[in-house]
Amino acid sequence: MTARQTRLRPGVMALCAAAGLSVALTGCGGGGDDAKSAATTAASSAPAASASPADPDAATKAAVLASYTSMWVEQMKAYRVASPDGTKLKDFATLDALSAFERDLAHMKNNHTVIRGELGHQPEVIALAVDVKLPTATVEDCIDLSKWQTLDTKTNKPIPLPTAQPLRYVATATVERWDNNRWMVTEYEPDGTRTC
């Protein structure tokens, strides 16, 4: 384990990728074209709701995926500069999910790391409960780290992922419909033991 690598808690948003896995949290920094590219990639990588045209829940699934994808666009902006400043994360994620993001960002800032490159996604709504008091959806996503890179901002050099780090793994998110039909990500859990 290098000086930049530390043991992280299970469930760190795509930075850890696996529960109990030691990962060097390095980040992506910068903005400009990288930030625009991340937003474009995240938005374009979200598939249309995985439903046939006759699916009565197609519009709801599309709204869930739009909120989930928007959360990732904002999260990538934050990871690129190791700060949530200037993002709209609070529009798409609740305090529980945000606290995990903020811990990740604090760790990145302390270790002078940022994220570069792109994070691949293949989200799909796998469960939906709309006829209940608190409508809830479960999103399963195949996270792809193959174009993801952690950068040491002091040396401007990339920090490689640990060799045991899977490049593609499954993550699951719980998304709830709140006031004004806003879908909010309330939980996010990566599972590095499930590759995709």
Side-chain angles (χ1 to χ4, degrees):
M1 189 178 291
T2 66
R4 288 272 183 249
Q5 292 175 321
T6 59
R7 293 218 180 265
L8 299 175
R9 65 182 161 69
V12 171
M13 304 275 306
L15 295 176
C16 292
L21 182 63
S22 293
V23 176
L25 248 186
T26 57
C28 51
D33 291 337
D34 275 348
K36 289 177 188 170
S37 174
T40 301
T41 299
S44 66
S45 66
S50 56
S52 66
D55 183 351
D57 295 322
T60 301
K61 290 177 181 178
V64 168
L65 291 175
S67 183
Y68 176 82
T69 300
S70 295
M71 181 215 51
W72 266 110
V73 168
E74 297 303 312
Q75 188 62 22
M76 288 304 298
K77 288 178 189 176
Y79 282 159
R80 291 184 183 284
V81 295
S83 171
D85 296 345
T87 68
K88 296 179 182 177
L89 275 168
K90 292 180 182 179
D91 291 349
F92 306 105
T94 64
L95 275 182
D96 288 341
L98 284 175
S99 65
F101 300 150
E102 288 168 355
R103 283 191 302 273
D104 295 344
L105 293 170
H107 184 83
M108 292 170 67
K109 188 172 184 174
N110 288 338
N111 286 288
H112 307 285
T113 59
V114 291
I115 300 298
R116 291 288 185 258
E118 305 300 335
L119 183 68
H121 292 277
Q122 292 178 334
E124 175 182 8
V125 176
I126 61 167
L128 185 63
V130 291
D131 296 327
V132 293
K133 186 174 181 179
L134 181 61
T136 305
T138 302
V139 174
E140 190 171 271
D141 194 356
C142 180
I143 304 294
D144 183 352
L145 299 177
S146 62
K147 295 181 182 177
W148 172 277
Q149 185 178 73
T150 301
L151 186 72
D152 182 326
T153 59
K154 285 186 170 182
T155 64
N156 205 33
K157 292 184 179 179
I159 299 172
L161 289 171
T163 55
Q165 172 73 51
L167 289 181
R168 292 172 58 93
Y169 62 91
V170 175
T172 305
T174 300
V175 188
E176 297 176 354
R177 187 170 65 199
W178 287 19
D179 296 336
N180 301 323
N181 286 324
R182 284 185 317 143
W183 287 94
M184 300 287 287
V185 177
T186 58
E187 294 178 34
Y188 177 87
E189 190 66 39
D191 184 354
T193 65
R194 295 177 60 204
T195 58
C196 52

